[in-house]
Amino acid sequence: MLLTKHKSLIILTIISIPTILFFFLQIQTTTRTSPQNESTTISHNSCITTPTPLLSSSQTLPATTLINKDNDKTLSITIVSGGNRTTSDETTLLIKSILLNHVGNTQIELNIATDLYNMNFLIENVFNRIKVYRTQLNVNFKIVNLTRIDEECNELKIPIVHHSGKWGMVKLFLDKVFDTVKRTIFVDTDMVFGTNPDLLFSEFDKFKEETLFSWTREPNWESKGPNHVCSCIFLWDMKKTRKVNYLKEFAIPASIEIFGFDEKTQQISKEKRNGSDQDFLFALNKMKPNFFNELDPSWNLANCQNFFGVPSRSRSADRTTHFMGAIHFNCAGNTYDDWKGWEWVKEYLIWYRWDWFSRPYENNKDLGKSIIIKHSFY
Ligand SMILES: *[C@@H]1O[C@H](CO)[C@@H](O)[C@H](O)[C@H]1NC(C)=O
Ligand SMILES: *[C@@H]1O[C@H](CO)[C@@H](O)[C@H](O)[C@H]1NC(C)=O
Ligand SMILES: *[C@@H]1O[C@H](CO)[C@@H](O)[C@H](O)[C@H]1NC(C)=O
Ligand SMILES: *[C@@H]1O[C@H](CO)[C@@H](O)[C@H](O)[C@H]1NC(C)=O
């Protein structure tokens, strides 16, 4: 529950962050026992009962299995939440969707690459409001030094042109940022889960020796270009990518091959790219098909693609067998207002009370486990 004091002391001394910051962080993470004011998320709630999950498990699922053969069944999810308020608001809903849809006993590891502002926002508005969760929940914050990302991009000849700038590029380096994480689900903050994330995690069972990633692709993505794959939600075997140094040894050479090298700037050419981190994974997938598996598109119901025809809520649509893995509110101009017909998803998440997450089962009062929060610097 508390910070690992020794670790943060050592780290902070090394990188000489003012002592005041240390105390600030201590306060942020040690005052988590005070009761939270729910007024921003709920009011007149006395007649509201706990909602049921969005889907029942009897509905059609993509071909997958719930039995995770690997011994480590920890549900690991990695998020980049940096930059500004839009991101932290989105992240709040994403985390809620994870906790709400997670069923079963696997412990959860949330790895969040972030800045101080977002970390404190999430501690205050998310984790302080729960305190205990049904299964063990470990939260690992990494406060990322963007100058370091800049240097690493320069070294690899990567021009930063992503619409979300350096925070977008952090994604490529996550196996270094979280250098002990083994297998994880990466998910963008403009997405929410509609079903148990364990189901997605169990797609790791399909990995072969050489498989590093699994993601969603549109038909004919090879010829259509980097906008037709999605690095928004994907399985990432970080243990393997670290071992092979995937970026330097494979993704960068593949990108130079696909996009060309600009002799003038001495960087990977921007001309054939759309300027995001996923360009590099696109190139890698094209040159090294064996590194990638494909996920069912229901794990990326993208607004850009009109949610692939999955109907939003209506009397009849509620009874469809469409499987709602994860919804992607992209191409929505960074507002929450453009989700035609899907507004109920946001409303549902906003109005679900944080304290319901920590409510123990009636016949097992000891089930709640303290949330463990750690932070360190990259
Ligand atoms: C909750 O916060 C609101 C707005 O800051 C405030 O008006 C209200 O009195 C607070 N309620 C409690 C119970 O602290
Ligand atoms: C961030 O990284 C740069 C380059 O590695 C370094 O010079 C700087 O001191 C770092 N800043 C902090 C606050 O650690
Ligand atoms: C926040 O991020 C969004 C999306 O990247 C961007 O459009 C907006 O300008 C940013 N706002 C601030 C205050 O940085
Ligand atoms: C960049 O995005 C646009 C709009 O989606 C698309 O038409 C174009 O083909 C993309 N370019 C590349 C090189 O993928």
Side-chain angles (χ1 to χ4, degrees), residues 15 17 145-148 151 377-378:
I15 64 170
I17 293 229
N145 178 348
L146 289 182
T147 311
R148 193 167 163 189
E151 288 172 353
F377 294 82
Y378 180 78

Side-chain angles (χ1 to χ4, degrees), residues 17-79:
I17 293 229
T19 324
I20 198 157
L21 178 61
F22 177 65
F23 285 111
F24 175 58
L25 290 171
Q26 288 287 307
I27 288 161
Q28 283 301 320
T29 46
T30 50
T31 54
R32 30 201 329 279
T33 47
S34 60
Q36 289 306 301
N37 185 337
E38 287 279 348
S39 66
T40 52
T41 51
I42 199 136
S43 57
H44 56 78
N45 52 41
S46 53
C47 61
I48 297 176
T49 54
T50 310
T52 49
L54 295 175
L55 276 187
S56 76
S57 55
S58 61
Q59 282 177 278
T60 315
L61 306 180
T64 187
T65 167
L66 271 173
I67 302 156
N68 194 335
K69 291 183 198 84
D70 195 275
N71 284 334
D72 186 4
K73 289 179 186 163
T74 302
L75 170 64
S76 171
I77 297 183
T78 302
I79 297 167

